[in-house]
Structure formats: structure tokens, C-alpha cells
């Protein structure tokens, strides 16, 4: 994949902000790979990495041609969670300073959550603490069979606060309570069972094949409809099915039917051809 700074598909990346901690690669078809690039620290989070990730994720909000965003870690490890040196320094700061620090993590996760395109975590090695939170904040998470997961914060007298909205959304409150409270390490099979992971593959080679399958699927889908469908889930989840919700969903499908993508998609189906977004 080309360097995104020179690639017109992804514009506006602040090179000084990312400074090599996050690698952002893209293709002309709209496939973007965001790689956490601290392999010497097992891609553990510190303030600089979190800032670089937020910058990368926020940049992708305005890129109309981005179809799918993969998030992975360099060096065969997704993320070991919080960097120990960063945590040691945090212990000497005031509560107000720690609140500001934690809010940066919360902003980074929300920037990932708000990406309009499909987002997919590719988990190798392990995803611990905040790393598991990043996987939960993606629309899909694919893991190798030997990957490990843990929410280990309580072992340090801490709580998995900033990642909790995404983890609870992914696995539900009961599973979250048990895993948060015990801090136990679990494997990819269990992560799939509870919904933290959506697919388990044998190894890194199969992970790349799974990535190709996702690309094939998403390039056949209308990008605007993908973004609208993601928003639809947010807008209906947890709401009572009443007249207001029924009316809202009827308006959504009516707007889609008369919209540019809806018109093109139905025409292409009837004419037995590929729609414009699936050409190539």
C-alpha cells in the first residue's frame, strides 16, 4: 500500500502528530490499514500513541472514498494495553491531570467508533486492557486462534473505565462484569463466544485471507448505505418499538429508496450489472 501522506485518498494527516507511532496505508479502492507501530513496546498505549491514533481515526471521518478501515498492531501483537512507564508517571500526577489524560483515550476510542466506513480489528498475539477496548470499538474483530485477551485493570487497583462503553456494547453487561471483576485472561474462542471477536482464524496467514474476504464484501456495498446502516443500529438499539421508532425507520428506508445509491442499486440489479460503487 502507498504512503498515505502522498496518497490523495487520505488527506490531512499531521505527520508530526503521528511521528511513526501509527502507520496509515491506503489503496485506490478505499481500503485503509491503521497500524499501531510500537512493536518494541508491544504496541502499548502512552500519551503519544493515543494522540497519533486519534489523529488517524479523526482524519478518516472526512474521507468520502474510504470503504473499510482495518486496525492492527505491528510485530505480531495487537496491543499490550497501557504502557507501564506511562502508568508509573500517571501515579505521580494529580487527579485533574489524570482525568485530562484519560479523556484523551476516551476521545481516541470515540474517533474510532465514529468512522463512517466499516472498521475491523485484526488481532494477533493479544489485546489487553485498552487494546481489547479498541477491538470492541470496531464493527468487526477477527482474531488468530492463539490470541489472548484480558481486562486486567482491577489487578492494579484500577477500573476499565474509558473502554467500558464499547466493551459492554459488544459483550453485554453480565459478561463485562465477570471479566472486569476477575481480570482473567481468556482465549479467542471464548472472545468469539461472548461477542468481543466476530471471527477466529487459524493463524496470521488466515488473518490476511479474512481481510481479503472482508474487502471483497465491502466493495460490493454502497458506501453511503454502509454509513447509514451503522447509524441506524445506534439509533434503534435499546429503544422501545413504538410508533415513533416505526415512523423513523420508515422514513429512513423511504429516503434510501429515492436516494442516489438506492436508485443506482435497484437499476443495476434489474439491468443485471454491477452498481457504480462495485466497478473495477
Amino acid at each position: 500500500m502507498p504512503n498515505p501522506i502522498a496518497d490523495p485518498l487520505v488527506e490531512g494527516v499531521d505527520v508530526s502528530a503521528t511521528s511513526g507511532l501509527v502507520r496509515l496505508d491506503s489503496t485506490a479502492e478505499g481500503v485503509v490499514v491503521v497500524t499501531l507501530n510500537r512493536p518494541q513496546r508491544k504496541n502499548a498505549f502512552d500519551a503519544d500513541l493515543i494522540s497519533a491514533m486519534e489523529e488517524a481515526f479523526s482524519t478518516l471521518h472526512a474521507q468520502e472514498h474510504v470503504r473499510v478501515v482495518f486496525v492492527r498492531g505491528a510485530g505480531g501483537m495487537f496491543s499490550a494495553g497501557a504502557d507501564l512507564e506511562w502508568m508509573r508517571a500517571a501515579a505521580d500526577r494529580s487527579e485533574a491531570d489524570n482525568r485530562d489524560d484519560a479523556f484523551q483515550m476516551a476521545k481516541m476510542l470515540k474517533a474510532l467508533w465514529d468512522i463512517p466506513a466499516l472498521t475491523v480489528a485484526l488481532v494477533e498475539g493479544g489485546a489487553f486492557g485498552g487494546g481489547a477496548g479498541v477491538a470492541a470499538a470496531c464493527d468487526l474483530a477477527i482474531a488468530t486462534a492463539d490470541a489472548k485477551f484480558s481486562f486486567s485493570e482491577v489487578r492494579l487497583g484500577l477500573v476499565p473505565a474509558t473502554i467500558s462503553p464499547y466493551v459492554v456494547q459488544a459483550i453485554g453487561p453480565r459478561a463485562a462484569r465477570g471479566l472486569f471483576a476477575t481480570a482473567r485472561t481468556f482465549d479467542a474462542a471464548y472472545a468469539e463466544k461472548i461477542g468481543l471477536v466476530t471471527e477466529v482464524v487459524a493463524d496470521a496467514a488466515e488473518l490476511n485471507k479474512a481481510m481479503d474476504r472482508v474487502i471483497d464484501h465491502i466493495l460490493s456495498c454502497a458506501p453511503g448505505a454502509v454509513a447509514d446502516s451503522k447509524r441506524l443500529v445506534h439509533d434503534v438499539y435499546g429503544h422501545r418499538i413504538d410508533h415513533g421508532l416505526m415512523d423513523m425507520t420508515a422514513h429512513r428506508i423511504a429516503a434510501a429508496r429515492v436516494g442516489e445509491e438506492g436508485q443506482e442499486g435497484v437499476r443495476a440489479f434489474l439491468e443485471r450489472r454491477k452498481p457504480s460503487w462495485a466497478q473495477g
Side-chain angles (χ1 to χ4, degrees), residues 121-159:
L122 302 175
V123 182
E124 299 175 76
F128 303 100
V134 169
C138 289
D139 301 317
L140 300 174
I142 307 172
T144 55
D146 61 353
K148 302 298 182 185
F149 302 80
S150 178
F151 303 103
S152 55
E153 287 84 352
V154 295
R155 290 181 185 167
L156 304 174
L158 304 174
V159 293

mmCIF file of all heavy atoms in Angstrom, residues 121-159:
data_model
loop_
_atom_site.group_PDB
_atom_site.id
_atom_site.type_symbol
_atom_site.label_atom_id
_atom_site.label_comp_id
_atom_site.label_asym_id
_atom_site.label_seq_id
_atom_site.Cartn_x
_atom_site.Cartn_y
_atom_site.Cartn_z
ATOM 1 N N ALA A 121 -10.992 -4.800 13.466
ATOM 2 C CA ALA A 121 -9.772 -5.071 14.216
ATOM 3 C C ALA A 121 -9.209 -6.412 13.775
ATOM 4 O O ALA A 121 -9.940 -7.398 13.672
ATOM 5 C CB ALA A 121 -10.062 -5.087 15.716
ATOM 6 N N LEU A 122 -7.906 -6.451 13.511
ATOM 7 C CA LEU A 122 -7.205 -7.685 13.168
ATOM 8 C C LEU A 122 -6.277 -8.011 14.327
ATOM 9 O O LEU A 122 -5.233 -7.376 14.485
ATOM 10 C CB LEU A 122 -6.413 -7.521 11.864
ATOM 11 C CG LEU A 122 -7.231 -7.128 10.631
ATOM 12 C CD1 LEU A 122 -6.300 -6.870 9.448
ATOM 13 C CD2 LEU A 122 -8.249 -8.205 10.281
ATOM 14 N N VAL A 123 -6.666 -8.967 15.155
ATOM 15 C CA VAL A 123 -5.986 -9.197 16.429
ATOM 16 C C VAL A 123 -5.056 -10.401 16.343
ATOM 17 O O VAL A 123 -5.494 -11.527 16.123
ATOM 18 C CB VAL A 123 -6.998 -9.411 17.574
ATOM 19 C CG1 VAL A 123 -6.264 -9.602 18.901
ATOM 20 C CG2 VAL A 123 -7.958 -8.223 17.659
ATOM 21 N N GLU A 124 -3.770 -10.125 16.531
ATOM 22 C CA GLU A 124 -2.757 -11.168 16.669
ATOM 23 C C GLU A 124 -2.117 -11.025 18.046
ATOM 24 O O GLU A 124 -2.071 -9.936 18.608
ATOM 25 C CB GLU A 124 -1.662 -11.014 15.621
ATOM 26 C CG GLU A 124 -2.112 -11.108 14.176
ATOM 27 C CD GLU A 124 -0.967 -10.818 13.222
ATOM 28 O OE1 GLU A 124 -0.109 -11.693 13.041
ATOM 29 O OE2 GLU A 124 -0.928 -9.687 12.692
ATOM 30 N N GLY A 125 -1.588 -12.110 18.571
ATOM 31 C CA GLY A 125 -0.836 -12.055 19.823
ATOM 32 C C GLY A 125 -1.727 -11.842 21.022
ATOM 33 O O GLY A 125 -1.980 -12.756 21.792
ATOM 34 N N GLY A 126 -2.224 -10.648 21.173
ATOM 35 C CA GLY A 126 -3.097 -10.359 22.288
ATOM 36 C C GLY A 126 -3.660 -8.957 22.231
ATOM 37 O O GLY A 126 -3.138 -8.078 21.540
ATOM 38 N N ALA A 127 -4.744 -8.775 22.945
ATOM 39 C CA ALA A 127 -5.376 -7.461 23.106
ATOM 40 C C ALA A 127 -5.752 -7.349 24.565
ATOM 41 O O ALA A 127 -6.704 -7.990 25.015
ATOM 42 C CB ALA A 127 -6.595 -7.328 22.199
ATOM 43 N N PHE A 128 -5.004 -6.564 25.300
ATOM 44 C CA PHE A 128 -5.181 -6.465 26.744
ATOM 45 C C PHE A 128 -5.613 -5.056 27.130
ATOM 46 O O PHE A 128 -5.154 -4.075 26.533
ATOM 47 C CB PHE A 128 -3.882 -6.837 27.459
ATOM 48 C CG PHE A 128 -3.385 -8.218 27.118
ATOM 49 C CD1 PHE A 128 -2.375 -8.403 26.193
ATOM 50 C CD2 PHE A 128 -3.962 -9.331 27.699
ATOM 51 C CE1 PHE A 128 -1.933 -9.670 25.858
ATOM 52 C CE2 PHE A 128 -3.532 -10.616 27.378
ATOM 53 C CZ PHE A 128 -2.514 -10.781 26.451
ATOM 54 N N GLY A 129 -6.488 -4.954 28.111
ATOM 55 C CA GLY A 129 -6.918 -3.647 28.594
ATOM 56 C C GLY A 129 -7.444 -2.781 27.474
ATOM 57 O O GLY A 129 -8.402 -3.130 26.775
ATOM 58 N N GLY A 130 -6.795 -1.641 27.268
ATOM 59 C CA GLY A 130 -7.215 -0.724 26.215
ATOM 60 C C GLY A 130 -7.158 -1.324 24.832
ATOM 61 O O GLY A 130 -7.924 -0.936 23.943
ATOM 62 N N GLY A 131 -6.260 -2.291 24.617
ATOM 63 C CA GLY A 131 -6.210 -2.966 23.323
ATOM 64 C C GLY A 131 -7.488 -3.723 23.033
ATOM 65 O O GLY A 131 -8.015 -3.691 21.918
ATOM 66 N N ALA A 132 -8.015 -4.402 24.053
ATOM 67 C CA ALA A 132 -9.305 -5.085 23.894
ATOM 68 C C ALA A 132 -10.416 -4.068 23.701
ATOM 69 O O ALA A 132 -11.398 -4.339 22.994
ATOM 70 C CB ALA A 132 -9.581 -5.967 25.105
ATOM 71 N N GLY A 133 -10.283 -2.892 24.320
ATOM 72 C CA GLY A 133 -11.264 -1.833 24.123
ATOM 73 C C GLY A 133 -11.292 -1.339 22.695
ATOM 74 O O GLY A 133 -12.366 -1.073 22.138
ATOM 75 N N VAL A 134 -10.125 -1.221 22.063
ATOM 76 C CA VAL A 134 -10.063 -0.828 20.651
ATOM 77 C C VAL A 134 -10.747 -1.882 19.779
ATOM 78 O O VAL A 134 -11.505 -1.547 18.871
ATOM 79 C CB VAL A 134 -8.598 -0.613 20.215
ATOM 80 C CG1 VAL A 134 -8.494 -0.471 18.693
ATOM 81 C CG2 VAL A 134 -8.023 0.631 20.888
ATOM 82 N N ALA A 135 -10.503 -3.157 20.067
ATOM 83 C CA ALA A 135 -11.164 -4.225 19.308
ATOM 84 C C ALA A 135 -12.676 -4.138 19.458
ATOM 85 O O ALA A 135 -13.425 -4.326 18.493
ATOM 86 C CB ALA A 135 -10.656 -5.588 19.772
ATOM 87 N N ALA A 136 -13.143 -3.830 20.674
ATOM 88 C CA ALA A 136 -14.589 -3.725 20.926
ATOM 89 C C ALA A 136 -15.201 -2.528 20.216
ATOM 90 O O ALA A 136 -16.378 -2.562 19.848
ATOM 91 C CB ALA A 136 -14.847 -3.621 22.427
ATOM 92 N N ALA A 137 -14.418 -1.470 20.014
ATOM 93 C CA ALA A 137 -14.927 -0.254 19.378
ATOM 94 C C ALA A 137 -15.028 -0.389 17.864
ATOM 95 O O ALA A 137 -15.638 0.462 17.209
ATOM 96 C CB ALA A 137 -14.051 0.940 19.743
ATOM 97 N N CYS A 138 -14.440 -1.442 17.299
ATOM 98 C CA CYS A 138 -14.548 -1.681 15.859
ATOM 99 C C CYS A 138 -15.853 -2.426 15.549
ATOM 100 O O CYS A 138 -16.413 -3.108 16.404
ATOM 101 C CB CYS A 138 -13.353 -2.514 15.380
ATOM 102 S SG CYS A 138 -11.778 -1.627 15.371
ATOM 103 N N ASP A 139 -16.311 -2.321 14.319
ATOM 104 C CA ASP A 139 -17.539 -3.006 13.907
ATOM 105 C C ASP A 139 -17.356 -4.519 13.891
ATOM 106 O O ASP A 139 -18.281 -5.264 14.223
ATOM 107 C CB ASP A 139 -17.966 -2.526 12.515
ATOM 108 C CG ASP A 139 -18.209 -1.030 12.469
ATOM 109 O OD1 ASP A 139 -18.826 -0.506 13.409
ATOM 110 O OD2 ASP A 139 -17.769 -0.390 11.494
ATOM 111 N N LEU A 140 -16.191 -4.972 13.480
ATOM 112 C CA LEU A 140 -15.857 -6.394 13.454
ATOM 113 C C LEU A 140 -14.487 -6.576 14.099
ATOM 114 O O LEU A 140 -13.665 -5.652 14.083
ATOM 115 C CB LEU A 140 -15.797 -6.929 12.022
ATOM 116 C CG LEU A 140 -17.055 -6.840 11.150
ATOM 117 C CD1 LEU A 140 -16.735 -7.292 9.730
ATOM 118 C CD2 LEU A 140 -18.174 -7.682 11.732
ATOM 119 N N ALA A 141 -14.252 -7.756 14.646
ATOM 120 C CA ALA A 141 -12.927 -8.094 15.170
ATOM 121 C C ALA A 141 -12.625 -9.526 14.770
ATOM 122 O O ALA A 141 -13.392 -10.435 15.071
ATOM 123 C CB ALA A 141 -12.879 -7.933 16.683
ATOM 124 N N ILE A 142 -11.510 -9.713 14.078
ATOM 125 C CA ILE A 142 -11.069 -11.037 13.646
ATOM 126 C C ILE A 142 -9.767 -11.337 14.371
ATOM 127 O O ILE A 142 -8.845 -10.521 14.375
ATOM 128 C CB ILE A 142 -10.874 -11.088 12.122
ATOM 129 C CG1 ILE A 142 -12.136 -10.610 11.402
ATOM 130 C CG2 ILE A 142 -10.509 -12.497 11.664
ATOM 131 C CD1 ILE A 142 -11.968 -10.439 9.896
ATOM 132 N N ALA A 143 -9.679 -12.501 14.991
ATOM 133 C CA ALA A 143 -8.509 -12.836 15.807
ATOM 134 C C ALA A 143 -7.925 -14.174 15.398
ATOM 135 O O ALA A 143 -8.648 -15.086 14.972
ATOM 136 C CB ALA A 143 -8.888 -12.864 17.289
ATOM 137 N N THR A 144 -6.618 -14.312 15.562
ATOM 138 C CA THR A 144 -5.986 -15.609 15.384
ATOM 139 C C THR A 144 -6.316 -16.481 16.594
ATOM 140 O O THR A 144 -6.572 -15.983 17.690
ATOM 141 C CB THR A 144 -4.470 -15.467 15.249
ATOM 142 O OG1 THR A 144 -3.951 -14.760 16.379
ATOM 143 C CG2 THR A 144 -4.105 -14.714 13.977
ATOM 144 N N ALA A 145 -6.306 -17.789 16.384
ATOM 145 C CA ALA A 145 -6.732 -18.725 17.426
ATOM 146 C C ALA A 145 -5.880 -18.633 18.681
ATOM 147 O O ALA A 145 -6.358 -18.920 19.783
ATOM 148 C CB ALA A 145 -6.712 -20.149 16.880
ATOM 149 N N ASP A 146 -4.608 -18.234 18.548
ATOM 150 C CA ASP A 146 -3.728 -18.172 19.712
ATOM 151 C C ASP A 146 -3.741 -16.819 20.414
ATOM 152 O O ASP A 146 -2.994 -16.606 21.375
ATOM 153 C CB ASP A 146 -2.295 -18.532 19.316
ATOM 154 C CG ASP A 146 -1.706 -17.575 18.278
ATOM 155 O OD1 ASP A 146 -2.456 -16.708 17.765
ATOM 156 O OD2 ASP A 146 -0.505 -17.717 17.958
ATOM 157 N N ALA A 147 -4.585 -15.890 19.964
ATOM 158 C CA ALA A 147 -4.648 -14.563 20.593
ATOM 159 C C ALA A 147 -5.238 -14.662 22.001
ATOM 160 O O ALA A 147 -6.110 -15.489 22.267
ATOM 161 C CB ALA A 147 -5.480 -13.614 19.746
ATOM 162 N N LYS A 148 -4.752 -13.794 22.886
ATOM 163 C CA LYS A 148 -5.231 -13.751 24.269
ATOM 164 C C LYS A 148 -5.825 -12.378 24.569
ATOM 165 O O LYS A 148 -5.425 -11.368 23.983
ATOM 166 C CB LYS A 148 -4.091 -14.034 25.251
ATOM 167 C CG LYS A 148 -3.399 -15.369 25.042
ATOM 168 C CD LYS A 148 -4.345 -16.536 25.240
ATOM 169 C CE LYS A 148 -3.606 -17.871 25.071
ATOM 170 N NZ LYS A 148 -4.543 -19.025 25.143
ATOM 171 N N PHE A 149 -6.757 -12.356 25.526
ATOM 172 C CA PHE A 149 -7.463 -11.132 25.885
ATOM 173 C C PHE A 149 -7.557 -11.043 27.407
ATOM 174 O O PHE A 149 -7.627 -12.061 28.100
ATOM 175 C CB PHE A 149 -8.870 -11.122 25.295
ATOM 176 C CG PHE A 149 -8.918 -11.246 23.797
ATOM 177 C CD1 PHE A 149 -8.792 -12.484 23.175
ATOM 178 C CD2 PHE A 149 -9.083 -10.128 23.003
ATOM 179 C CE1 PHE A 149 -8.832 -12.613 21.802
ATOM 180 C CE2 PHE A 149 -9.122 -10.237 21.620
ATOM 181 C CZ PHE A 149 -8.995 -11.487 21.020
ATOM 182 N N SER A 150 -7.601 -9.812 27.899
ATOM 183 C CA SER A 150 -7.815 -9.634 29.343
ATOM 184 C C SER A 150 -8.162 -8.182 29.628
ATOM 185 O O SER A 150 -7.659 -7.271 28.964
ATOM 186 C CB SER A 150 -6.554 -10.012 30.127
ATOM 187 O OG SER A 150 -6.746 -9.788 31.510
ATOM 188 N N PHE A 151 -9.041 -8.011 30.620
ATOM 189 C CA PHE A 151 -9.291 -6.690 31.203
ATOM 190 C C PHE A 151 -8.682 -6.755 32.605
ATOM 191 O O PHE A 151 -9.336 -7.130 33.571
ATOM 192 C CB PHE A 151 -10.795 -6.407 31.247
ATOM 193 C CG PHE A 151 -11.451 -6.492 29.895
ATOM 194 C CD1 PHE A 151 -12.197 -7.607 29.537
ATOM 195 C CD2 PHE A 151 -11.296 -5.472 28.967
ATOM 196 C CE1 PHE A 151 -12.789 -7.710 28.292
ATOM 197 C CE2 PHE A 151 -11.885 -5.560 27.708
ATOM 198 C CZ PHE A 151 -12.636 -6.682 27.368
ATOM 199 N N SER A 152 -7.412 -6.406 32.676
ATOM 200 C CA SER A 152 -6.627 -6.687 33.884
ATOM 201 C C SER A 152 -6.539 -5.519 34.864
ATOM 202 O O SER A 152 -5.789 -5.583 35.840
ATOM 203 C CB SER A 152 -5.208 -7.108 33.479
ATOM 204 O OG SER A 152 -4.609 -6.114 32.650
ATOM 205 N N GLU A 153 -7.310 -4.478 34.629
ATOM 206 C CA GLU A 153 -7.159 -3.247 35.414
ATOM 207 C C GLU A 153 -7.312 -3.464 36.918
ATOM 208 O O GLU A 153 -6.592 -2.857 37.721
ATOM 209 C CB GLU A 153 -8.160 -2.193 34.929
ATOM 210 C CG GLU A 153 -7.823 -1.566 33.578
ATOM 211 C CD GLU A 153 -8.302 -2.390 32.391
ATOM 212 O OE1 GLU A 153 -8.775 -3.533 32.592
ATOM 213 O OE2 GLU A 153 -8.199 -1.888 31.257
ATOM 214 N N VAL A 154 -8.267 -4.315 37.333
ATOM 215 C CA VAL A 154 -8.511 -4.455 38.775
ATOM 216 C C VAL A 154 -7.322 -5.068 39.513
ATOM 217 O O VAL A 154 -7.183 -4.895 40.721
ATOM 218 C CB VAL A 154 -9.795 -5.259 39.066
ATOM 219 C CG1 VAL A 154 -11.023 -4.513 38.560
ATOM 220 C CG2 VAL A 154 -9.716 -6.663 38.488
ATOM 221 N N ARG A 155 -6.474 -5.784 38.819
ATOM 222 C CA ARG A 155 -5.262 -6.315 39.458
ATOM 223 C C ARG A 155 -4.335 -5.190 39.917
ATOM 224 O O ARG A 155 -3.505 -5.391 40.809
ATOM 225 C CB ARG A 155 -4.508 -7.221 38.491
ATOM 226 C CG ARG A 155 -5.200 -8.541 38.202
ATOM 227 C CD ARG A 155 -4.371 -9.365 37.251
ATOM 228 N NE ARG A 155 -5.058 -10.586 36.867
ATOM 229 C CZ ARG A 155 -4.683 -11.370 35.862
ATOM 230 N NH1 ARG A 155 -3.611 -11.035 35.147
ATOM 231 N NH2 ARG A 155 -5.355 -12.468 35.581
ATOM 232 N N LEU A 156 -4.479 -4.036 39.286
ATOM 233 C CA LEU A 156 -3.658 -2.873 39.642
ATOM 234 C C LEU A 156 -4.431 -1.873 40.490
ATOM 235 O O LEU A 156 -3.960 -0.761 40.715
ATOM 236 C CB LEU A 156 -3.160 -2.184 38.359
ATOM 237 C CG LEU A 156 -2.383 -3.072 37.377
ATOM 238 C CD1 LEU A 156 -2.075 -2.306 36.105
ATOM 239 C CD2 LEU A 156 -1.104 -3.583 38.024
ATOM 240 N N GLY A 157 -5.622 -2.277 40.914
ATOM 241 C CA GLY A 157 -6.447 -1.357 41.695
ATOM 242 C C GLY A 157 -7.128 -0.307 40.854
ATOM 243 O O GLY A 157 -7.572 0.724 41.366
ATOM 244 N N LEU A 158 -7.243 -0.570 39.541
ATOM 245 C CA LEU A 158 -7.841 0.382 38.616
ATOM 246 C C LEU A 158 -9.137 -0.186 38.052
ATOM 247 O O LEU A 158 -9.534 -1.303 38.376
ATOM 248 C CB LEU A 158 -6.854 0.697 37.481
ATOM 249 C CG LEU A 158 -5.482 1.217 37.924
ATOM 250 C CD1 LEU A 158 -4.550 1.354 36.727
ATOM 251 C CD2 LEU A 158 -5.613 2.551 38.661
ATOM 252 N N VAL A 159 -9.799 0.567 37.195
ATOM 253 C CA VAL A 159 -11.028 0.121 36.543
ATOM 254 C C VAL A 159 -10.926 0.392 35.036
ATOM 255 O O VAL A 159 -10.298 1.370 34.624
ATOM 256 C CB VAL A 159 -12.281 0.830 37.123
ATOM 257 C CG1 VAL A 159 -12.507 0.415 38.555
ATOM 258 C CG2 VAL A 159 -12.161 2.343 37.016
#
